[in-house]
Amino acid sequence: MLKINSTCTEIKKVIKENKSVATIRGWIYRKRSSGGKIFIILRDRTATIQCVIDKNKIGQDEWNDIDKAYMESSVIIRGIVKKDERAPNGVELEVAELLVVHSGEQFPITEYQSPEFLLDVRHLWLRSQRMIAAMKARTYIFKYAREFLDKQGFFEITPPLITIAGGETGANLFEIDYFGQKAYLTESSQLYAEAMIYSLEKVYSFAPSYRAEKSRTIKHLAEYWHLEPEMAYYDNKKSMRLQERLVSHIAKRLSYNEDILKVFGVNQDDLLMIKPPFKRISYERAIELLNEKGLKREWGADFGIEDERALTENEDKPLFVYNWPKEIKAFYMKENPDDKRTVLCADMLAPHGHGEIIGGSEREWRLEELVQRMKELNMDIEKYSWYVDLRKYGSVPHSGFGMGIERIIKWMLKLEHIRDAIPFPRVINRVSP
Ligand code: 4AD
Ligand code: MG
């Protein structure tokens, strides 16, 4: 007799291995009946399989239970494995015994539903084949990023997410009431990562960053996962070489997950060709290119989606744009000694208009120059006293960068919208479920 704790085999294994009988468990993905038989497609986290239930071959109670069961009911099934070319995976299960664990209520998601409704029932939509594949890719990409950095000798650190000052421009902070004191959700963990290079030298944090940007775009989340490596004694060029190797490693490792790529129509070769070196152009050159393409851009302008698209639409690999104007970059970036209007930094733009995936720079590590810049920007230096302190005791040149993991997922899986790269997206008009 089947029980809730009966030992089960994963469906993918049942399909691959030549078993004669198998016990599986999962959720009803599709269900139909015809001529005294019920056909269900059972889904577990590995695959789906067609199961055929013949009224004459199981008990009356079991038949009644499965007959009543709604889509997405949880079920345990024992059956005979049959090769059948008409079945979706070439294999189907002739059911000998079944147990409906929970049949519940009618599942609210049917075939044609608006994107807004699917976001309302996100907690249920996560069971769709597309979201399952995206969430697996997300897990793997987290793992690939960590495995690369761990192998390079980095320490993973855990920064605070509540701060009293911005880590970037400070213009898009979510304010919170911290026991009566004004505090903010962090927009970047960089400043804390910088504090830790003095003990651990090469570190990264992998944590959420919060941005109260009022932009409603396909690439902005209010809460996103931010990978931020920081390295002692790295200049910006060395940092860029690390970035391209990191991105290439993620692409290569992801490329071997053919089941996932298939769901999104991504070719393995498109990922495998993302190898260093990536093209590098200066900000100055980028402005020239934009003007050649008919977009009238003056030196000093920041790039919008249109500019990023124009620069990368014909690229198959990411593109670095380096040495941006000081005025549109953050306070901590090191001035370029060869052109004081610019800072030593680079943004990595994904190909085909997917936009900025990495922002990084060399840091101003000299005390006076840092304080001078903060004064120019009218920053409240008191609030950053600990950060300034770091430049007083054994300061060293260092660089670092930040990668938006959902931007990577969106680009590599060719998603239309960044929200499908995260299970419970936080965007300007949505904070639930
Ligand atoms: O360019 P940003 O703002 O740089 C920083 O925060 C630096 N402190 C990083 C560092 O040097 N440690 O953000 C870095 C990356 C962007 O390139 C982008 O990939 C991602 O974070 N990002 C976002 N992703 C999703 N939604 C948003 N609203 C994002 N804003 C930035
Ligand atoms: Mg940026």
Side-chain angles (χ1 to χ4, degrees), residues 31-39 52-55 63 67:
K31 181 181 165 193
R32 67 187 169 88
S33 47
S34 93
K37 285 184 180 171
I38 293 174
F39 299 85
V52 185
I53 304 146
D54 188 330
K55 195 173 179 168
W63 176 263
D67 193 32

Side-chain angles (χ1 to χ4, degrees), residues 416-429:
E416 248 166 60
H417 200 293
I418 194 167
R419 64 187 173 217
D420 286 340
I422 189 165
F424 296 101
R426 297 290 178 254
V427 289
I428 188 164
N429 58 344

Side-chain angles (χ1 to χ4, degrees), residues 35-286:
K37 285 184 180 171
I38 293 174
F39 299 85
I40 63 178
I41 305 220
L42 201 73
R43 156 183 80 71
D44 72 5
R45 65 178 187 171
T46 64
T48 60
I49 189 171
Q50 173 156 291
C51 305
V52 185
I53 304 146
D54 188 330
K55 195 173 179 168
N56 301 318
K57 293 190 182 158
I58 58 165
Q60 187 63 42
D61 288 350
E62 288 170 294
W63 176 263
N64 292 344
D65 286 349
I66 196 73
D67 193 32
K68 276 190 304 206
Y70 290 117
M71 283 236 317
E72 288 302 326
S73 297
S74 41
V75 185
I76 301 176
I77 282 176
R78 193 173 63 81
I80 300 157
V81 184
K82 291 258 155 101
K83 288 220 151 47
D84 187 337
E85 272 164 23
R86 290 163 306 170
N89 288 316
V91 172
E92 67 176 25
L93 213 63
E94 200 181 282
V95 178
E97 206 183 331
L98 68 85
L99 173 67
V100 175
V101 178
H102 182 236
S103 108
E105 302 178 23
Q106 173 118 40
F107 199 62
I109 302 176
T110 54
E111 215 153 329
Y112 301 101
Q113 240 128 20
S114 72
E116 274 311 304
F117 176 75
L118 293 178
L119 284 166
D120 290 340
V121 293
R122 183 64 157 203
H123 52 297
L124 304 176
W125 180 238
L126 288 171
R127 305 178 187 199
S128 65
Q129 291 298 308
R130 205 178 151 78
M131 286 310 299
I132 290 174
M135 291 308 107
K136 284 182 183 170
R138 181 181 169 90
T139 298
Y140 295 153
I141 287 173
F142 272 62
K143 183 172 85 175
Y144 303 151
R146 283 198 169 100
E147 87 192 349
F148 176 83
L149 292 169
D150 293 348
K151 211 167 167 195
Q152 305 298 317
F154 278 72
F155 284 96
E156 179 167 2
I157 55 155
T158 54
L161 302 184
I162 301 174
T163 65
I164 59 157
E168 283 296 297
T169 61
N172 301 307
L173 296 171
F174 283 107
E175 192 180 308
I176 57 169
D177 174 357
Y178 189 76
F179 307 112
Q181 185 188 350
K182 223 188 241 185
Y184 307 95
L185 297 179
T186 194
E187 58 177 340
S188 159
S189 299
Q190 176 195 320
L191 306 192
Y192 292 95
E194 283 188 60
M196 294 191 75
I197 61 156
Y198 297 93
S199 51
L200 301 174
E201 300 187 23
K202 292 204 285 187
V203 301
Y204 67 90
S205 68
F206 207 160
S209 279
Y210 297 89
R211 304 275 167 113
E213 282 157 314
K214 296 245 160 51
S215 36
R216 184 186 289 218
T217 77
I218 53 169
K219 54 169 222 170
H220 283 91
L221 293 167
E223 177 182 67
Y224 71 95
W225 282 74
H226 201 176
L227 175 63
E228 300 193 84
E230 195 69 33
M231 301 79 66
Y233 289 108
Y234 271 54
D235 63 13
N236 193 46
K237 285 186 179 147
K238 192 168 175 190
S239 173
M240 286 160 75
R241 290 197 293 276
L242 184 73
Q243 292 166 39
E244 61 191 356
R245 286 175 59 214
L246 166 65
V247 169
S248 168
H249 176 82
I250 294 172
K252 181 174 167 194
R253 294 281 273 124
L254 185 66
S255 80
Y256 299 125
N257 296 285
E258 284 165 62
D259 290 1
I260 291 176
L261 301 190
K262 206 167 64 193
V263 174
F264 302 99
V266 173
N267 291 324
Q268 186 180 53
D269 292 343
D270 294 349
L271 290 173
L272 282 175
M273 60 88 62
I274 300 168
K275 281 195 283 218
F278 298 170
K279 209 189 265 181
R280 291 151 162 76
I281 59 169
S282 65
Y283 170 84
E284 186 126 9
R285 177 70 192 131

